[in-house]
């Protein structure tokens, strides 16, 4: 036994030395190469000064979860691990031009419903996304009246004809909802937040509707795809197709099929074949099959160019903060219009090296508010107290 112990002892001592050394090297790599402050891209002006003075989270580095540094892990575990309370809402249905049903979900238990000048936060979700209740409850706790934009055809809203199907990047629904809220609460400050495709819609709206008509004080968006052609190329790589694109196509097919019976009951035929739609494996195949014949675009390049906010970001005159990650598979770095952010004083880009798509999780076990959420919440809080600094 003594001989065996003498033989094993050097190996045991070796592993005892290797483990702490390995841990030290990995920790050093994480702290020196992974942990970084975000890049803030903005022209000199009131918005840049506002961010520097009021968003304290940007003063420190982003510490991505050590076991989920990869963009796909950030993206997936953000949805899987974050624990958020359920959002209890009261639905208000409005009819937009063309007879389109739209919905506004107002956060319930508001103790000051009679205060017409109470500031409002309007949340615009991405495709198939649920409300990010961390931000919404934080906003409510600050004193905001909270509203959630319900995308046409979702959450029980009906469509009566194929032409009412949503067009990628179209901002008219958001415009109708903001106009309605302003008419209902004409003295209330309205701030808008959104994620992913919701961010696209917000950017397009702010670019096409100037401040005198859009009633928005300021906006903050997270993981916005700025160039849908670049998004298509990124999501059609083999891995991203299997990880994301197939499920996007399934969602879009399911969404369409949920309205087919209504179309037929109202006597409307489809300008495409449903059996062809069911064969779509990517969102671009769906757009090729459905969106092009439905909306009259000659090709996908034209359709995606019209939908993409990147080409029109320079037109935005309403203060807008965009939070993105370099490794976002849905919004590749090559598609971010860095020159627009460099030269426009009314838009700012907060760019982290890691974070994936709507990820930005940090901490060993990330169940609370993310780094991007903190930026958004601090921005909203600063607007309550200092919005005149942006005027």
């Amino acid at each position: 036994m003594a001989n065996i112990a003498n033989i094993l002892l050097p190996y045991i001592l070796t592993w005892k030395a290797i483990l702490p050394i390995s841990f030290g090297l990995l920790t050093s790599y994480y702290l020196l190469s992974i942990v970084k402050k975000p890049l803030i891209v903005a022209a000199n002006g009131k918005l840049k000064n506002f961010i520097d003075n009021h968003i304290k989270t940007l003063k420190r580095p982003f510490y991505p979860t050590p076991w989920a540094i990869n963009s796909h892990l950030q993206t997936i575990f953000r949805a899987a691990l974050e624990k958020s309370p359920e959002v209890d809402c009261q639905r208000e249905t409005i009819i937009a031009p063309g007879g389109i049903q739209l919905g506004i979900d107002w956060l319930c238990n508001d103790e000051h419903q009679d205060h017409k000048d109470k500031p409002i936060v309007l949340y615009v979700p991405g495709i198939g996304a649920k409300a990010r209740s961390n931000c919404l409850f934080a906003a409510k706790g600050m004193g905001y009246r909270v509203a959630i934009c319900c995308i046409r055809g979702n959450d029980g809203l009906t469509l009566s004809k194929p032409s009412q199907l949503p067009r990628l990047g179209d901002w008219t629904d958001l415009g109708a909802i903001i106009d309605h809220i302003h008419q209902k609460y004409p003295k209330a400050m309205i701030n808008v937040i959104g994620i992913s495709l919701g961010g696209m819609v917000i950017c397009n709206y702010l670019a096409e509707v100037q401040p005198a008509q859009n009633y928005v004080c300021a906006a903050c968006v997270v993981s916005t795809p700025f160039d849908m052609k670049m998004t298509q190329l990124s999501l059609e790589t083999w891995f991203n197709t299997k990880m994301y694109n197939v499920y996007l196509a399934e969602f879009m097919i399911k969404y369409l099929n949920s309205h087919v019976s209504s179309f037929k009951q109202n006597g409307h035929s489809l300008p495409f074949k449903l059996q062809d739609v069911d064969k779509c494996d990517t969102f671009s195949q769906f757009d090729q099959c459905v969106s092009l014949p439905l909306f009259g675009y000659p090709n996908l390049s034209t359709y995606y160019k019209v939908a993409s906010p990147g080409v029109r970001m320079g037109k935005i005159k309403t203060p807008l903060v965009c939070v993105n990650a370099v490794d976002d598979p849905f919004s590749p770095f090559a598609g971010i219009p860095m020159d627009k952010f460099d030269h426009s004083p009314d838009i700012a880009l907060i760019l982290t090296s890691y974070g994936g798509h709507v990820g930005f999780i940090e901490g060993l076990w990330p169940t609370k508010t993310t780094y991007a959420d903190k930026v958004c919440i601090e921005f909203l809080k600063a607007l309550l107290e200092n919005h005149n600094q942006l005027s």
Side-chain angles (χ1 to χ4, degrees), residues 237-302:
T237 60
W238 182 87
F239 182 85
N240 287 347
T241 294
K242 302 299 182 184
M243 180 64 68
Y244 309 111
N245 218 337
V246 170
Y247 299 102
L248 287 175
E250 288 180 358
F251 174 85
M252 296 165 79
I253 293 169
K254 184 178 180 181
Y255 173 90
L256 171 62
N257 288 334
S258 69
H259 296 289
V260 168
S261 60
S262 175
F263 298 155
K264 292 180 178 179
Q265 288 173 8
N266 287 282
H268 296 288
S269 59
L270 299 174
F272 46 80
K273 297 179 180 179
L274 286 176
Q275 55 266 38
D276 294 336
V277 177
D278 290 335
K279 297 176 184 177
C280 295
D281 292 324
T282 65
F283 78 86
S284 63
Q285 290 177 4
F286 180 92
D287 286 334
Q288 182 76 47
C289 183
V290 175
S291 302
L292 297 191
L294 185 61
F295 301 118
Y297 289 93
N299 50 57
L300 284 177
S301 295
T302 302

Side-chain angles (χ1 to χ4, degrees), residues 135-373:
C135 286
L136 301 187
F137 275 95
K140 181 179 181 297
M142 295 176 206
Y144 278 101
R145 193 191 311 274
V146 178
I148 302 167
C149 175
C150 299
I151 302 170
R152 66 168 72 181
N154 274 349
D155 298 323
L157 300 173
T158 59
L159 301 176
S160 60
K161 51 187 176 181
S163 61
Q164 293 181 344
L165 287 166
R167 178 171 57 84
L168 184 65
D170 182 40
W171 53 266
T172 54
D173 289 356
L174 176 60
I177 287 174
I178 290 175
D179 288 348
H180 175 82
I181 291 175
H182 176 69
Q183 291 172 9
K184 189 173 183 177
Y185 302 106
K187 295 182 180 181
M189 174 177 65
I190 301 174
N191 296 316
V192 184
I193 60 176
I195 62 169
S196 192
L197 293 185
M200 275 183 61
V201 172
I202 293 171
C203 291
N204 285 338
Y205 171 76
L206 295 179
E208 299 300 333
V209 184
Q210 292 305 300
Q213 288 81 38
N214 69 29
Y215 310 120
V216 174
C217 174
C220 183
V221 296
V222 177
S223 296
T224 298
F226 293 101
D227 186 331
M228 282 306 299
K229 187 62 180 178
M230 297 304 299
T231 297
Q232 178 195 1
L233 294 175
S234 174
L235 292 184
E236 288 185 354
T237 60
W238 182 87
F239 182 85
N240 287 347
T241 294
K242 302 299 182 184
M243 180 64 68
Y244 309 111
N245 218 337
V246 170
Y247 299 102
L248 287 175
E250 288 180 358
F251 174 85
M252 296 165 79
I253 293 169
K254 184 178 180 181
Y255 173 90
L256 171 62
N257 288 334
S258 69
H259 296 289
V260 168
S261 60
S262 175
F263 298 155
K264 292 180 178 179
Q265 288 173 8
N266 287 282
H268 296 288
S269 59
L270 299 174
F272 46 80
K273 297 179 180 179
L274 286 176
Q275 55 266 38
D276 294 336
V277 177
D278 290 335
K279 297 176 184 177
C280 295
D281 292 324
T282 65
F283 78 86
S284 63
Q285 290 177 4
F286 180 92
D287 286 334
Q288 182 76 47
C289 183
V290 175
S291 302
L292 297 191
L294 185 61
F295 301 118
Y297 289 93
N299 50 57
L300 284 177
S301 295
T302 302
Y303 180 53
Y304 289 156
K305 184 177 181 179
V306 172
S308 300
V311 295
R312 52 174 70 91
M313 292 296 289
K315 297 168 60 178
I316 295 176
K317 302 303 178 185
T318 300
L320 170 67
V321 174
C322 304
V323 184
N324 278 71
V326 171
D327 63 353
D328 188 337
F330 288 75
S331 181
F333 176 73
I336 299 176
M338 300 294 287
D339 58 325
K340 300 289 196 303
F341 288 101
D342 264 328
H343 295 97
S344 174
D346 298 305
I347 59 176
L349 174 68
I350 312 301
L351 189 66
T352 61
S353 298
Y354 302 91
H357 186 68
V358 201
F360 304 98
I361 58 175
E362 55 181 353
L364 287 177
W365 194 249
T367 59
K368 296 184 179 180
T369 308
T370 69
Y371 190 83
D373 289 337

Side-chain angles (χ1 to χ4, degrees), residues 89-106:
C89 297
Q90 182 176 349
R91 170 67 55 86
E92 178 182 8
T93 302
I94 64 175
I95 304 299
I100 299 170
Q101 258 191 11
L102 301 177
I104 306 172
D105 283 347
W106 296 95

